[in-house]
Amino acid sequence: MTETVAADRTGRAGATLLIQRGAIEWVIAALLGLVLLRFLWSLVRNENLLPGEVVDHLLHPDVLAGVWLTIRLTALVFAVAATIGLVVVRMERSGNPLLGGIAAAYVWVFGSIPVLVQLLLWSNVALVFPDITFGIPGVHIDAVRLVTPVYAAIAGLALALGAYAARALPNGDRLDALGDILVTTLQATSLVSVLAITDLLGVVQALDGRNHLIIPLLAVAAIWYLVLVTAARGAVRLVRLAGGKGQAHTG
C-alpha cells in the first residue's frame, strides 16, 4: 500500500513537472514569435530596404539568367562531385593500401583548402602550366584558352566538393548525404562570382555596380537562394517518399 502511494505521488510530481516545463516552453515560444514578427514588420516598414526595388528585380531578365546558370552549374558540379566521392569511397574500402592512401591524401588536401582558394588557384593555373602537353610529344595546349573562368569554377568546385562527398557518403543514409551534397553545392556556387562569372550572385553584383542598390539586390539574391535551396530539399524529400512507396508496394 505504501509503495502504491509513493508511486502515485511520484507520478503526479512527474506530470506536474512536465506541465510546468511545457508552460515555460510555450512562453519562450511566444516571446520568440513576437520578436520574429517585430523584426519582419521592421523590415517591411524599413525604407532603406527599398522593397519596391526588390520586387522589381526579382524577375529581372539578367537575374533570371543568373539563376538559370546557377542551376546548371549546380547540376554539373553535383554530378561530378558525387561521382568523385563514390569513387574515393570505393578506393578507401578496396583494401589496397596504395589506393586507400591516394584516397586519403585527396580528401585531406582538397577537403582542407578553402573552396575559394581552390577556385583562385584553378583560375590562375596558366601561370604555372602555360603549355599543357599531358606528356604526349607534339601535344601543346594553351592553358589560358583551355582554363576559362567557367572551367576553372567547375574544376575547383567539383574537386573540393568531391572531398566533401567522400566524407559524407559513407555515413548514414546515402540519400540524405546526396541531398546535403546537392544543397552544399548550390550554396558553394555563389563563390564563382569572384571569377567574374554571371551566376546569380555575379549578376546581382553587376547590377549593383550600375545602379548602386546594394541592399535590395542582395535581398533579391537571398530570396532566390532560399527558393533554390528549399526546392532542392523538397526534391530530395519527394525522392525519399517515392522510394518508400515503391518499397511498400514491392513488399
Side-chain angles (χ1 to χ4, degrees):
M1 183 66 178
T2 304
E3 294 179 356
T4 302
V5 173
D8 184 58
R9 289 178 178 176
T10 302
R12 290 181 180 178
T16 302
L17 181 60
L18 289 175
I19 293 173
Q20 291 175 344
R21 183 180 300 174
I24 293 173
E25 290 175 350
W26 273 108
V27 171
I28 294 173
L31 291 175
L32 290 175
L34 289 173
V35 171
L36 178 59
L37 288 174
R38 182 68 182 85
F39 174 71
L40 293 176
W41 180 247
S42 67
L43 284 180
V44 174
R45 296 293 301 273
N46 193 325
E47 296 180 356
N48 295 323
L49 184 58
L50 301 176
E53 295 291 348
V54 174
V55 173
D56 290 343
H57 284 85
L58 273 175
L59 299 179
H60 190 285
D62 290 347
V63 172
L64 293 179
V67 171
W68 177 232
L69 179 57
T70 294
I71 292 173
R72 288 182 292 162
L73 190 61
T74 299
L76 178 58
V77 172
F78 168 73
V80 177
T83 301
I84 292 174
L86 290 171
V87 171
V88 172
V89 170
R90 184 69 184 87
M91 291 171 64
E92 290 175 333
R93 295 177 176 179
S94 66
N96 185 300
L98 180 57
L99 289 177
I102 293 173
Y106 166 77
V107 173
W108 172 55
V109 172
F110 290 94
S112 300
I113 301 174
V115 180
L116 180 58
V117 175
Q118 295 189 49
L119 289 174
L120 294 174
L121 285 172
W122 275 102
S123 65
N124 292 284
V125 71
L127 298 176
V128 182
F129 302 104
D131 189 29
I132 301 176
T133 65
F134 298 108
I136 302 175
V139 174
H140 298 281
I141 302 175
D142 185 357
V144 175
R145 294 183 179 181
L146 177 64
V147 187
T148 64
V150 172
Y151 288 149
I154 293 171
L157 289 175
L159 288 170
L161 292 166
Y164 173 78
R167 293 195 301 269
L169 288 170
N171 302 320
D173 184 89
R174 181 158 289 185
L175 181 57
D176 284 343
L178 289 172
D180 289 339
I181 296 166
L182 176 61
V183 171
T184 302
T185 301
L186 175 56
Q187 294 169 331
T189 58
S190 63
L191 296 173
V192 305
S193 60
V194 301
L195 305 182
I197 295 175
T198 54
D199 69 314
L200 173 56
L201 185 57
V203 166
V204 163
Q205 290 175 329
L207 289 173
D208 170 48
R210 296 203 296 264
N211 53 32
H212 306 293
L213 297 171
I214 299 175
I215 298 301
L217 288 170
L218 286 176
V220 168
I223 291 170
W224 269 112
Y225 280 118
L226 280 171
V227 171
L228 293 174
V229 170
T230 302
R233 294 193 185 279
V236 173
R237 290 181 181 177
L238 287 176
V239 171
R240 175 178 291 283
L241 289 173
K245 290 180 179 179
Q247 292 178 357
H249 287 310
T250 302

